[in-house]
Amino acid sequence: MDSAEKGRRVVVVGAGFGGLFAARRLARSGLQVVLIDRRNFHTFTPLLYQVAAAELEPEEIAYPVRTIFRGQKNLRMVLGEVRRVDLSARQLEVGDVSIGYEDLILALGSTTNFFGVDGASDHSWPLKTPGDAVRLRSHILECFERAQLRSESSARAPLITFVIVGGGPTGVEFAGALSELIRGPLARDFPSLDLSESKVILVEVRNSLLGSFPQHLGMYGARRLRQMGVEVRFDAKVTAVRPHSVAFASGEAIESATAVWTAGVRGDPALERWGLPTTRDGRVPVDDTLQVPGYPHVYVIGDSAYVEQAGRVLPMLAPVAIQQGEAAAENIIRAASAKPARAFRYRDKGTMATIGRNAAVAVLAGHAFRGFPAWIIWLAIHIASLIGFRNRLLVLTNWAWDYLFFERGVRLIDPGP
Ligand SMILES: Cc1cc2nc3c(=O)[nH]c(=O)nc-3n(C[C@H](O)[C@H](O)[C@H](O)COP(=O)(O)OP(=O)(O)OC[C@H]3O[C@@H](n4cnc5c(N)ncnc54)[C@H](O)[C@@H]3O)c2cc1C
């Protein structure tokens, strides 16, 4: 690469898993990189549910982007929301600033998909960002505070009944963690409350949990959750969410002040607004080189991208985003040296989900694990994947405290602004 090519400016939008790994690879190559995010930190989403379940603080699973790239002179971080992209002029707008690019990587992630269910976007609680997790944690704790002031069981029970919609990994993990929070620390904090009135209900439209895992692991997950006091309901299609109830296609309604929505995600609507082609679920179909057809200077990766491989759509998972980030960066580096782009191939190293204390499921290198061995693997991989030694230490300390003393350190109700 000569110095003119090194001056080539690559803009990466999004410092999540895809954007971060793309920017890292590009920065090492010597190209000029501009990394834009509306937040100044990277979030380790796999542990977000533990923030909502009062197990971890949000800053323990987040890391400042500027610190990650400290000393990297050819990378500039810009804090702000990209509001417009002009694909023909190769320019984008962040606030009132216009930034031009030779190559663009869009790694915007995804947004919650409410599937048009009546009232779901207004009355259910999403779990996508640290802000969502802290708000949900405060709401759950407030529900217990309000419940203990009610003398009538009919007024108390809906406040401490929690419906979790969606039996994928996030729903399963949160249901387990919430049940442990209620039966452990909250039972001790609220001795005057009859916690047999408190329910955690996990509802799934299909007839199994953890649909992306082998069926026997989904069955194990349901069995373990039930042993932990979670009510698991299958074939339960939510038709409406109201402030104090959740309605089902069967005609039944559950009285509850809290519906947590973990039923699905979709591509960010901004992608369509910016004139990119999108699928029905808002993702951008890209070539096998991760370029947008007709716009060879634009790469879309991670949750924002729609990629089929061996007849199946790649899932919205962190390892997919990471590998695509590195592959898109590699193709841009190759283009700067006039080399042809390479096709992206996802290497599936496995998936895992935790259910609760001593219980998890994992598929690694084609082998299925469950129970304690899977839980230990889950702990080790998540600790190793966190960014920053301080975060690893804090998370490990919190987990050890929780494991040994059945106690959660974080039970703050955020008073808000
Ligand atoms: C609760 C939860 C649990 C999960 N658990 C797991 C798990 O256990 N294992 C797993 O593999 N995956 C898990 N995932 C999925 C995983 O987080 C995503 O697949 C992954 O983050 C996708 O990476 P990404 O780079 O595409 O997007 P993200 O990591 O979401 O990053 C997108 C970034 O873009 C920024 N952004 C978006 N729009 C703009 C804009 N207009 N301007 C500026 N910045 C913008 C956002 O602020 C964000 O930082 C989980 C997700 C959630 C929500």
Side-chain angles (χ1 to χ4, degrees), residues 13-19 36-39 45-46 48 80-82 107-109 127-128 170 268 274 301-303 316-319 321 382:
V13 183
F17 284 100
I36 308 173
D37 202 295
R38 58 159 84 106
R39 301 193 188 95
T45 49
L48 256 187
E81 170 130 6
V82 173
L108 305 189
L127 187 48
K128 277 290 289 171
T170 302
D268 194 309
W274 297 339
I301 60 169
D303 285 4
M316 288 158 142
L317 288 175
H382 282 74

PDB file of all heavy atoms in Angstrom, residues 13-19 36-39 45-46 48 80-82 107-109 127-128 170 268 274 301-303 316-319 321 382, ligand 1:
ATOM      1  N   VAL A  13     -19.528   2.872  11.004  1.00  0.00           N
ATOM      2  CA  VAL A  13     -20.628   3.359  11.855  1.00  0.00           C
ATOM      3  C   VAL A  13     -21.049   2.223  12.789  1.00  0.00           C
ATOM      4  O   VAL A  13     -21.509   1.175  12.338  1.00  0.00           O
ATOM      5  CB  VAL A  13     -21.833   3.839  11.016  1.00  0.00           C
ATOM      6  CG1 VAL A  13     -22.914   4.414  11.944  1.00  0.00           C
ATOM      7  CG2 VAL A  13     -21.411   4.869   9.992  1.00  0.00           C
ATOM      8  N   GLY A  14     -20.883   2.479  14.087  1.00  0.00           N
ATOM      9  CA  GLY A  14     -21.252   1.478  15.094  1.00  0.00           C
ATOM     10  C   GLY A  14     -20.012   0.875  15.738  1.00  0.00           C
ATOM     11  O   GLY A  14     -19.152   0.319  15.048  1.00  0.00           O
ATOM     12  N   ALA A  15     -19.910   1.005  17.060  1.00  0.00           N
ATOM     13  CA  ALA A  15     -18.776   0.414  17.788  1.00  0.00           C
ATOM     14  C   ALA A  15     -19.244  -0.762  18.627  1.00  0.00           C
ATOM     15  O   ALA A  15     -18.805  -0.975  19.750  1.00  0.00           O
ATOM     16  CB  ALA A  15     -18.095   1.469  18.654  1.00  0.00           C
ATOM     17  N   GLY A  16     -20.207  -1.523  18.072  1.00  0.00           N
ATOM     18  CA  GLY A  16     -20.618  -2.776  18.709  1.00  0.00           C
ATOM     19  C   GLY A  16     -19.622  -3.853  18.316  1.00  0.00           C
ATOM     20  O   GLY A  16     -18.470  -3.561  17.966  1.00  0.00           O
ATOM     21  N   PHE A  17     -20.065  -5.107  18.328  1.00  0.00           N
ATOM     22  CA  PHE A  17     -19.121  -6.193  18.049  1.00  0.00           C
ATOM     23  C   PHE A  17     -18.536  -6.099  16.644  1.00  0.00           C
ATOM     24  O   PHE A  17     -17.323  -6.204  16.457  1.00  0.00           O
ATOM     25  CB  PHE A  17     -19.811  -7.546  18.246  1.00  0.00           C
ATOM     26  CG  PHE A  17     -19.985  -7.890  19.692  1.00  0.00           C
ATOM     27  CD1 PHE A  17     -21.202  -7.700  20.324  1.00  0.00           C
ATOM     28  CD2 PHE A  17     -18.921  -8.371  20.428  1.00  0.00           C
ATOM     29  CE1 PHE A  17     -21.360  -8.008  21.659  1.00  0.00           C
ATOM     30  CE2 PHE A  17     -19.064  -8.675  21.770  1.00  0.00           C
ATOM     31  CZ  PHE A  17     -20.291  -8.496  22.384  1.00  0.00           C
ATOM     32  N   GLY A  18     -19.401  -5.885  15.630  1.00  0.00           N
ATOM     33  CA  GLY A  18     -18.910  -5.852  14.251  1.00  0.00           C
ATOM     34  C   GLY A  18     -18.002  -4.659  14.005  1.00  0.00           C
ATOM     35  O   GLY A  18     -16.876  -4.802  13.514  1.00  0.00           O
ATOM     36  N   GLY A  19     -18.504  -3.469  14.348  1.00  0.00           N
ATOM     37  CA  GLY A  19     -17.754  -2.232  14.083  1.00  0.00           C
ATOM     38  C   GLY A  19     -16.423  -2.196  14.807  1.00  0.00           C
ATOM     39  O   GLY A  19     -15.399  -1.772  14.253  1.00  0.00           O
ATOM     40  N   ILE A  36     -17.628   5.899  14.276  1.00  0.00           N
ATOM     41  CA  ILE A  36     -18.712   6.753  14.807  1.00  0.00           C
ATOM     42  C   ILE A  36     -19.680   5.888  15.615  1.00  0.00           C
ATOM     43  O   ILE A  36     -20.102   4.826  15.163  1.00  0.00           O
ATOM     44  CB  ILE A  36     -19.501   7.414  13.646  1.00  0.00           C
ATOM     45  CG1 ILE A  36     -18.547   8.126  12.686  1.00  0.00           C
ATOM     46  CG2 ILE A  36     -20.543   8.393  14.194  1.00  0.00           C
ATOM     47  CD1 ILE A  36     -19.231   8.650  11.421  1.00  0.00           C
ATOM     48  N   ASP A  37     -20.037   6.361  16.792  1.00  0.00           N
ATOM     49  CA  ASP A  37     -21.096   5.691  17.554  1.00  0.00           C
ATOM     50  C   ASP A  37     -21.859   6.731  18.364  1.00  0.00           C
ATOM     51  O   ASP A  37     -21.288   7.728  18.797  1.00  0.00           O
ATOM     52  CB  ASP A  37     -20.542   4.611  18.495  1.00  0.00           C
ATOM     53  CG  ASP A  37     -21.608   3.575  18.867  1.00  0.00           C
ATOM     54  OD1 ASP A  37     -22.601   3.948  19.546  1.00  0.00           O
ATOM     55  OD2 ASP A  37     -21.470   2.414  18.455  1.00  0.00           O
ATOM     56  N   ARG A  38     -23.141   6.463  18.563  1.00  0.00           N
ATOM     57  CA  ARG A  38     -23.948   7.385  19.365  1.00  0.00           C
ATOM     58  C   ARG A  38     -23.634   7.249  20.848  1.00  0.00           C
ATOM     59  O   ARG A  38     -24.035   8.092  21.651  1.00  0.00           O
ATOM     60  CB  ARG A  38     -25.434   7.145  19.114  1.00  0.00           C
ATOM     61  CG  ARG A  38     -25.902   5.731  19.408  1.00  0.00           C
ATOM     62  CD  ARG A  38     -27.393   5.694  19.623  1.00  0.00           C
ATOM     63  NE  ARG A  38     -28.109   5.605  18.380  1.00  0.00           N
ATOM     64  CZ  ARG A  38     -28.711   4.490  17.935  1.00  0.00           C
ATOM     65  NH1 ARG A  38     -28.614   3.364  18.623  1.00  0.00           N
ATOM     66  NH2 ARG A  38     -29.383   4.498  16.821  1.00  0.00           N
ATOM     67  N   ARG A  39     -22.919   6.161  21.201  1.00  0.00           N
ATOM     68  CA  ARG A  39     -22.494   6.006  22.595  1.00  0.00           C
ATOM     69  C   ARG A  39     -20.971   5.996  22.631  1.00  0.00           C
ATOM     70  O   ARG A  39     -20.347   5.575  21.661  1.00  0.00           O
ATOM     71  CB  ARG A  39     -23.015   4.692  23.181  1.00  0.00           C
ATOM     72  CG  ARG A  39     -24.513   4.612  23.144  1.00  0.00           C
ATOM     73  CD  ARG A  39     -25.028   3.471  23.987  1.00  0.00           C
ATOM     74  NE  ARG A  39     -26.453   3.341  23.749  1.00  0.00           N
ATOM     75  CZ  ARG A  39     -26.986   2.504  22.864  1.00  0.00           C
ATOM     76  NH1 ARG A  39     -26.213   1.690  22.182  1.00  0.00           N
ATOM     77  NH2 ARG A  39     -28.277   2.478  22.682  1.00  0.00           N
ATOM     78  N   THR A  45     -23.174  -7.263  25.284  1.00  0.00           N
ATOM     79  CA  THR A  45     -24.604  -7.580  25.411  1.00  0.00           C
ATOM     80  C   THR A  45     -24.921  -8.937  26.059  1.00  0.00           C
ATOM     81  O   THR A  45     -25.957  -9.057  26.716  1.00  0.00           O
ATOM     82  CB  THR A  45     -25.298  -7.517  24.035  1.00  0.00           C
ATOM     83  OG1 THR A  45     -24.509  -8.274  23.117  1.00  0.00           O
ATOM     84  CG2 THR A  45     -25.461  -6.096  23.552  1.00  0.00           C
ATOM     85  N   PRO A  46     -24.082  -9.981  25.881  1.00  0.00           N
ATOM     86  CA  PRO A  46     -24.462 -11.266  26.487  1.00  0.00           C
ATOM     87  C   PRO A  46     -24.701 -11.198  27.993  1.00  0.00           C
ATOM     88  O   PRO A  46     -25.382 -12.073  28.546  1.00  0.00           O
ATOM     89  CB  PRO A  46     -23.275 -12.180  26.148  1.00  0.00           C
ATOM     90  CG  PRO A  46     -22.764 -11.636  24.852  1.00  0.00           C
ATOM     91  CD  PRO A  46     -22.924 -10.137  24.979  1.00  0.00           C
ATOM     92  N   LEU A  48     -26.080  -8.423  29.531  1.00  0.00           N
ATOM     93  CA  LEU A  48     -27.043  -7.343  29.822  1.00  0.00           C
ATOM     94  C   LEU A  48     -28.144  -7.809  30.767  1.00  0.00           C
ATOM     95  O   LEU A  48     -28.591  -7.067  31.636  1.00  0.00           O
ATOM     96  CB  LEU A  48     -27.716  -6.903  28.522  1.00  0.00           C
ATOM     97  CG  LEU A  48     -27.292  -5.594  27.881  1.00  0.00           C
ATOM     98  CD1 LEU A  48     -28.197  -5.295  26.714  1.00  0.00           C
ATOM     99  CD2 LEU A  48     -27.299  -4.450  28.872  1.00  0.00           C
ATOM    100  N   GLY A  80     -21.606  10.500  18.206  1.00  0.00           N
ATOM    101  CA  GLY A  80     -22.793  11.140  17.641  1.00  0.00           C
ATOM    102  C   GLY A  80     -23.609  10.139  16.852  1.00  0.00           C
ATOM    103  O   GLY A  80     -23.142   9.045  16.525  1.00  0.00           O
ATOM    104  N   GLU A  81     -24.825  10.538  16.550  1.00  0.00           N
ATOM    105  CA  GLU A  81     -25.738   9.666  15.807  1.00  0.00           C
ATOM    106  C   GLU A  81     -25.671  10.015  14.323  1.00  0.00           C
ATOM    107  O   GLU A  81     -25.831  11.180  13.948  1.00  0.00           O
ATOM    108  CB  GLU A  81     -27.157   9.893  16.339  1.00  0.00           C
ATOM    109  CG  GLU A  81     -28.217   9.242  15.507  1.00  0.00           C
ATOM    110  CD  GLU A  81     -29.158   8.415  16.349  1.00  0.00           C
ATOM    111  OE1 GLU A  81     -29.047   8.440  17.576  1.00  0.00           O
ATOM    112  OE2 GLU A  81     -29.998   7.738  15.742  1.00  0.00           O
ATOM    113  N   VAL A  82     -25.423   9.022  13.496  1.00  0.00           N
ATOM    114  CA  VAL A  82     -25.457   9.260  12.049  1.00  0.00           C
ATOM    115  C   VAL A  82     -26.924   9.359  11.650  1.00  0.00           C
ATOM    116  O   VAL A  82     -27.695   8.431  11.879  1.00  0.00           O
ATOM    117  CB  VAL A  82     -24.749   8.130  11.270  1.00  0.00           C
ATOM    118  CG1 VAL A  82     -24.935   8.308   9.772  1.00  0.00           C
ATOM    119  CG2 VAL A  82     -23.281   8.086  11.633  1.00  0.00           C
ATOM    120  N   ALA A 107     -22.458  -0.917  10.686  1.00  0.00           N
ATOM    121  CA  ALA A 107     -22.611  -1.967  11.720  1.00  0.00           C
ATOM    122  C   ALA A 107     -23.532  -1.419  12.803  1.00  0.00           C
ATOM    123  O   ALA A 107     -23.139  -1.256  13.956  1.00  0.00           O
ATOM    124  CB  ALA A 107     -21.237  -2.331  12.289  1.00  0.00           C
ATOM    125  N   LEU A 108     -24.776  -1.135  12.391  1.00  0.00           N
ATOM    126  CA  LEU A 108     -25.717  -0.447  13.292  1.00  0.00           C
ATOM    127  C   LEU A 108     -26.384  -1.367  14.298  1.00  0.00           C
ATOM    128  O   LEU A 108     -27.123  -0.898  15.168  1.00  0.00           O
ATOM    129  CB  LEU A 108     -26.846   0.211  12.489  1.00  0.00           C
ATOM    130  CG  LEU A 108     -26.500   1.189  11.379  1.00  0.00           C
ATOM    131  CD1 LEU A 108     -27.761   1.865  10.887  1.00  0.00           C
ATOM    132  CD2 LEU A 108     -25.525   2.224  11.875  1.00  0.00           C
ATOM    133  N   GLY A 109     -26.198  -2.675  14.145  1.00  0.00           N
ATOM    134  CA  GLY A 109     -26.880  -3.599  15.055  1.00  0.00           C
ATOM    135  C   GLY A 109     -28.342  -3.757  14.673  1.00  0.00           C
ATOM    136  O   GLY A 109     -28.702  -3.687  13.500  1.00  0.00           O
ATOM    137  N   LEU A 127     -34.986  -5.238  26.139  1.00  0.00           N
ATOM    138  CA  LEU A 127     -33.709  -5.490  26.820  1.00  0.00           C
ATOM    139  C   LEU A 127     -32.612  -5.489  25.751  1.00  0.00           C
ATOM    140  O   LEU A 127     -32.136  -6.535  25.320  1.00  0.00           O
ATOM    141  CB  LEU A 127     -33.795  -6.832  27.564  1.00  0.00           C
ATOM    142  CG  LEU A 127     -32.645  -7.225  28.484  1.00  0.00           C
ATOM    143  CD1 LEU A 127     -32.231  -6.112  29.420  1.00  0.00           C
ATOM    144  CD2 LEU A 127     -33.003  -8.466  29.278  1.00  0.00           C
ATOM    145  N   LYS A 128     -32.270  -4.273  25.284  1.00  0.00           N
ATOM    146  CA  LYS A 128     -31.309  -4.163  24.193  1.00  0.00           C
ATOM    147  C   LYS A 128     -30.073  -3.348  24.560  1.00  0.00           C
ATOM    148  O   LYS A 128     -29.015  -3.516  23.981  1.00  0.00           O
ATOM    149  CB  LYS A 128     -31.972  -3.454  22.990  1.00  0.00           C
ATOM    150  CG  LYS A 128     -32.804  -4.322  22.098  1.00  0.00           C
ATOM    151  CD  LYS A 128     -31.981  -5.303  21.279  1.00  0.00           C
ATOM    152  CE  LYS A 128     -31.163  -4.650  20.177  1.00  0.00           C
ATOM    153  NZ  LYS A 128     -30.222  -5.622  19.570  1.00  0.00           N
ATOM    154  N   THR A 170     -32.020 -15.088  25.438  1.00  0.00           N
ATOM    155  CA  THR A 170     -32.159 -13.946  26.353  1.00  0.00           C
ATOM    156  C   THR A 170     -33.343 -14.150  27.297  1.00  0.00           C
ATOM    157  O   THR A 170     -33.239 -13.880  28.502  1.00  0.00           O
ATOM    158  CB  THR A 170     -32.316 -12.626  25.562  1.00  0.00           C
ATOM    159  OG1 THR A 170     -31.175 -12.478  24.726  1.00  0.00           O
ATOM    160  CG2 THR A 170     -32.407 -11.426  26.486  1.00  0.00           C
ATOM    161  N   ASP A 268     -32.104  -2.103  11.809  1.00  0.00           N
ATOM    162  CA  ASP A 268     -32.391  -0.716  12.180  1.00  0.00           C
ATOM    163  C   ASP A 268     -33.134  -0.022  11.034  1.00  0.00           C
ATOM    164  O   ASP A 268     -32.678  -0.064   9.882  1.00  0.00           O
ATOM    165  CB  ASP A 268     -31.053  -0.006  12.459  1.00  0.00           C
ATOM    166  CG  ASP A 268     -31.260   1.318  13.159  1.00  0.00           C
ATOM    167  OD1 ASP A 268     -32.071   2.125  12.668  1.00  0.00           O
ATOM    168  OD2 ASP A 268     -30.608   1.540  14.189  1.00  0.00           O
ATOM    169  N   TRP A 274     -31.989   5.370   4.539  1.00  0.00           N
ATOM    170  CA  TRP A 274     -30.811   5.836   3.807  1.00  0.00           C
ATOM    171  C   TRP A 274     -30.767   5.281   2.382  1.00  0.00           C
ATOM    172  O   TRP A 274     -29.788   5.454   1.659  1.00  0.00           O
ATOM    173  CB  TRP A 274     -29.526   5.451   4.547  1.00  0.00           C
ATOM    174  CG  TRP A 274     -29.426   6.093   5.902  1.00  0.00           C
ATOM    175  CD1 TRP A 274     -30.076   7.214   6.341  1.00  0.00           C
ATOM    176  CD2 TRP A 274     -28.626   5.649   7.019  1.00  0.00           C
ATOM    177  NE1 TRP A 274     -29.749   7.497   7.646  1.00  0.00           N
ATOM    178  CE2 TRP A 274     -28.861   6.558   8.085  1.00  0.00           C
ATOM    179  CE3 TRP A 274     -27.748   4.590   7.224  1.00  0.00           C
ATOM    180  CZ2 TRP A 274     -28.232   6.426   9.331  1.00  0.00           C
ATOM    181  CZ3 TRP A 274     -27.127   4.464   8.456  1.00  0.00           C
ATOM    182  CH2 TRP A 274     -27.364   5.373   9.496  1.00  0.00           C
ATOM    183  N   ILE A 301     -22.541  -5.199   7.944  1.00  0.00           N
ATOM    184  CA  ILE A 301     -22.113  -6.380   8.719  1.00  0.00           C
ATOM    185  C   ILE A 301     -22.958  -6.556   9.977  1.00  0.00           C
ATOM    186  O   ILE A 301     -23.697  -5.656  10.374  1.00  0.00           O
ATOM    187  CB  ILE A 301     -20.619  -6.273   9.118  1.00  0.00           C
ATOM    188  CG1 ILE A 301     -20.391  -5.014   9.973  1.00  0.00           C
ATOM    189  CG2 ILE A 301     -19.722  -6.272   7.899  1.00  0.00           C
ATOM    190  CD1 ILE A 301     -19.017  -4.972  10.624  1.00  0.00           C
ATOM    191  N   GLY A 302     -22.805  -7.696  10.605  1.00  0.00           N
ATOM    192  CA  GLY A 302     -23.451  -7.956  11.902  1.00  0.00           C
ATOM    193  C   GLY A 302     -24.961  -8.084  11.772  1.00  0.00           C
ATOM    194  O   GLY A 302     -25.485  -8.537  10.752  1.00  0.00           O
ATOM    195  N   ASP A 303     -25.663  -7.658  12.831  1.00  0.00           N
ATOM    196  CA  ASP A 303     -27.125  -7.787  12.849  1.00  0.00           C
ATOM    197  C   ASP A 303     -27.781  -7.045  11.695  1.00  0.00           C
ATOM    198  O   ASP A 303     -28.908  -7.360  11.307  1.00  0.00           O
ATOM    199  CB  ASP A 303     -27.681  -7.227  14.170  1.00  0.00           C
ATOM    200  CG  ASP A 303     -27.437  -8.141  15.350  1.00  0.00           C
ATOM    201  OD1 ASP A 303     -26.776  -9.184  15.171  1.00  0.00           O
ATOM    202  OD2 ASP A 303     -27.901  -7.815  16.459  1.00  0.00           O
ATOM    203  N   MET A 316     -28.283 -13.581  14.223  1.00  0.00           N
ATOM    204  CA  MET A 316     -27.820 -12.293  14.777  1.00  0.00           C
ATOM    205  C   MET A 316     -27.080 -12.584  16.079  1.00  0.00           C
ATOM    206  O   MET A 316     -27.672 -12.581  17.153  1.00  0.00           O
ATOM    207  CB  MET A 316     -29.014 -11.376  14.982  1.00  0.00           C
ATOM    208  CG  MET A 316     -29.599 -10.856  13.666  1.00  0.00           C
ATOM    209  SD  MET A 316     -31.289 -10.344  13.902  1.00  0.00           S
ATOM    210  CE  MET A 316     -31.431  -8.903  12.897  1.00  0.00           C
ATOM    211  N   LEU A 317     -25.807 -12.874  15.954  1.00  0.00           N
ATOM    212  CA  LEU A 317     -24.985 -13.236  17.105  1.00  0.00           C
ATOM    213  C   LEU A 317     -23.652 -12.492  17.054  1.00  0.00           C
ATOM    214  O   LEU A 317     -23.161 -12.142  15.968  1.00  0.00           O
ATOM    215  CB  LEU A 317     -24.677 -14.739  17.103  1.00  0.00           C
ATOM    216  CG  LEU A 317     -25.825 -15.684  17.446  1.00  0.00           C
ATOM    217  CD1 LEU A 317     -25.377 -17.130  17.274  1.00  0.00           C
ATOM    218  CD2 LEU A 317     -26.316 -15.453  18.876  1.00  0.00           C
ATOM    219  N   ALA A 318     -23.058 -12.302  18.232  1.00  0.00           N
ATOM    220  CA  ALA A 318     -21.798 -11.562  18.309  1.00  0.00           C
ATOM    221  C   ALA A 318     -20.676 -12.190  17.459  1.00  0.00           C
ATOM    222  O   ALA A 318     -19.991 -11.458  16.732  1.00  0.00           O
ATOM    223  CB  ALA A 318     -21.371 -11.443  19.773  1.00  0.00           C
ATOM    224  N   PRO A 319     -20.480 -13.526  17.484  1.00  0.00           N
ATOM    225  CA  PRO A 319     -19.374 -14.073  16.675  1.00  0.00           C
ATOM    226  C   PRO A 319     -19.559 -13.838  15.172  1.00  0.00           C
ATOM    227  O   PRO A 319     -18.576 -13.648  14.453  1.00  0.00           O
ATOM    228  CB  PRO A 319     -19.416 -15.578  16.978  1.00  0.00           C
ATOM    229  CG  PRO A 319     -20.140 -15.698  18.262  1.00  0.00           C
ATOM    230  CD  PRO A 319     -21.103 -14.569  18.322  1.00  0.00           C
ATOM    231  N   ALA A 321     -21.029 -11.163  13.869  1.00  0.00           N
ATOM    232  CA  ALA A 321     -20.667  -9.750  13.668  1.00  0.00           C
ATOM    233  C   ALA A 321     -19.148  -9.564  13.715  1.00  0.00           C
ATOM    234  O   ALA A 321     -18.570  -8.851  12.882  1.00  0.00           O
ATOM    235  CB  ALA A 321     -21.346  -8.898  14.739  1.00  0.00           C
ATOM    236  N   HIS A 382     -17.293 -16.312  28.999  1.00  0.00           N
ATOM    237  CA  HIS A 382     -17.789 -14.938  29.149  1.00  0.00           C
ATOM    238  C   HIS A 382     -16.779 -14.052  29.871  1.00  0.00           C
ATOM    239  O   HIS A 382     -16.605 -12.901  29.500  1.00  0.00           O
ATOM    240  CB  HIS A 382     -19.164 -14.936  29.831  1.00  0.00           C
ATOM    241  CG  HIS A 382     -20.251 -15.301  28.873  1.00  0.00           C
ATOM    242  ND1 HIS A 382     -20.442 -16.591  28.419  1.00  0.00           N
ATOM    243  CD2 HIS A 382     -21.172 -14.550  28.223  1.00  0.00           C
ATOM    244  CE1 HIS A 382     -21.445 -16.608  27.557  1.00  0.00           C
ATOM    245  NE2 HIS A 382     -21.897 -15.381  27.420  1.00  0.00           N
TER     246      HIS A 382
HETATM  247  C1  LIG B   1     -29.795  -8.874  25.675  1.00  0.00           C
HETATM  248  C2  LIG B   1     -28.953  -9.449  24.575  1.00  0.00           C
HETATM  249  C3  LIG B   1     -28.230 -10.598  24.801  1.00  0.00           C
HETATM  250  C4  LIG B   1     -27.454 -11.153  23.803  1.00  0.00           C
HETATM  251  N1  LIG B   1     -26.740 -12.289  24.081  1.00  0.00           N
HETATM  252  C5  LIG B   1     -25.917 -12.796  23.130  1.00  0.00           C
HETATM  253  C6  LIG B   1     -25.105 -13.924  23.424  1.00  0.00           C
HETATM  254  O1  LIG B   1     -25.151 -14.473  24.521  1.00  0.00           O
HETATM  255  N2  LIG B   1     -24.267 -14.390  22.449  1.00  0.00           N
HETATM  256  C7  LIG B   1     -24.210 -13.791  21.217  1.00  0.00           C
HETATM  257  O2  LIG B   1     -23.431 -14.220  20.370  1.00  0.00           O
HETATM  258  N3  LIG B   1     -24.981 -12.734  20.906  1.00  0.00           N
HETATM  259  C8  LIG B   1     -25.825 -12.212  21.833  1.00  0.00           C
HETATM  260  N4  LIG B   1     -26.600 -11.128  21.540  1.00  0.00           N
HETATM  261  C9  LIG B   1     -26.598 -10.615  20.153  1.00  0.00           C
HETATM  262  C10 LIG B   1     -25.397  -9.706  19.917  1.00  0.00           C
HETATM  263  O3  LIG B   1     -25.394  -8.677  20.872  1.00  0.00           O
HETATM  264  C11 LIG B   1     -25.497  -9.093  18.527  1.00  0.00           C
HETATM  265  O4  LIG B   1     -25.608 -10.105  17.562  1.00  0.00           O
HETATM  266  C12 LIG B   1     -24.262  -8.253  18.237  1.00  0.00           C
HETATM  267  O5  LIG B   1     -24.145  -7.222  19.186  1.00  0.00           O
HETATM  268  C13 LIG B   1     -24.329  -7.665  16.849  1.00  0.00           C
HETATM  269  O6  LIG B   1     -23.217  -6.847  16.648  1.00  0.00           O
HETATM  270  P1  LIG B   1     -23.367  -5.562  15.744  1.00  0.00           P
HETATM  271  O7  LIG B   1     -21.999  -4.980  15.623  1.00  0.00           O
HETATM  272  O8  LIG B   1     -24.094  -5.890  14.501  1.00  0.00           O
HETATM  273  O9  LIG B   1     -24.323  -4.571  16.558  1.00  0.00           O
HETATM  274  P2  LIG B   1     -24.202  -4.008  18.030  1.00  0.00           P
HETATM  275  O10 LIG B   1     -23.226  -4.766  18.838  1.00  0.00           O
HETATM  276  O11 LIG B   1     -25.594  -3.904  18.518  1.00  0.00           O
HETATM  277  O12 LIG B   1     -23.619  -2.551  17.805  1.00  0.00           O
HETATM  278  C14 LIG B   1     -24.293  -1.551  17.098  1.00  0.00           C
HETATM  279  C15 LIG B   1     -23.685  -0.201  17.464  1.00  0.00           C
HETATM  280  O13 LIG B   1     -24.126   0.765  16.538  1.00  0.00           O
HETATM  281  C16 LIG B   1     -24.431   1.972  17.204  1.00  0.00           C
HETATM  282  N5  LIG B   1     -25.365   2.707  16.360  1.00  0.00           N
HETATM  283  C17 LIG B   1     -26.539   2.246  15.849  1.00  0.00           C
HETATM  284  N6  LIG B   1     -27.095   3.182  15.061  1.00  0.00           N
HETATM  285  C18 LIG B   1     -26.255   4.243  15.049  1.00  0.00           C
HETATM  286  C19 LIG B   1     -26.292   5.506  14.391  1.00  0.00           C
HETATM  287  N7  LIG B   1     -27.288   5.864  13.587  1.00  0.00           N
HETATM  288  N8  LIG B   1     -25.269   6.377  14.623  1.00  0.00           N
HETATM  289  C20 LIG B   1     -24.242   6.026  15.439  1.00  0.00           C
HETATM  290  N9  LIG B   1     -24.156   4.841  16.062  1.00  0.00           N
HETATM  291  C21 LIG B   1     -25.155   3.950  15.871  1.00  0.00           C
HETATM  292  C22 LIG B   1     -24.997   1.496  18.534  1.00  0.00           C
HETATM  293  O14 LIG B   1     -24.885   2.509  19.522  1.00  0.00           O
HETATM  294  C23 LIG B   1     -24.127   0.275  18.835  1.00  0.00           C
HETATM  295  O15 LIG B   1     -22.999   0.618  19.612  1.00  0.00           O
HETATM  296  C24 LIG B   1     -27.396 -10.543  22.524  1.00  0.00           C
HETATM  297  C25 LIG B   1     -28.109  -9.370  22.297  1.00  0.00           C
HETATM  298  C26 LIG B   1     -28.883  -8.823  23.303  1.00  0.00           C
HETATM  299  C27 LIG B   1     -29.645  -7.553  23.049  1.00  0.00           C
END
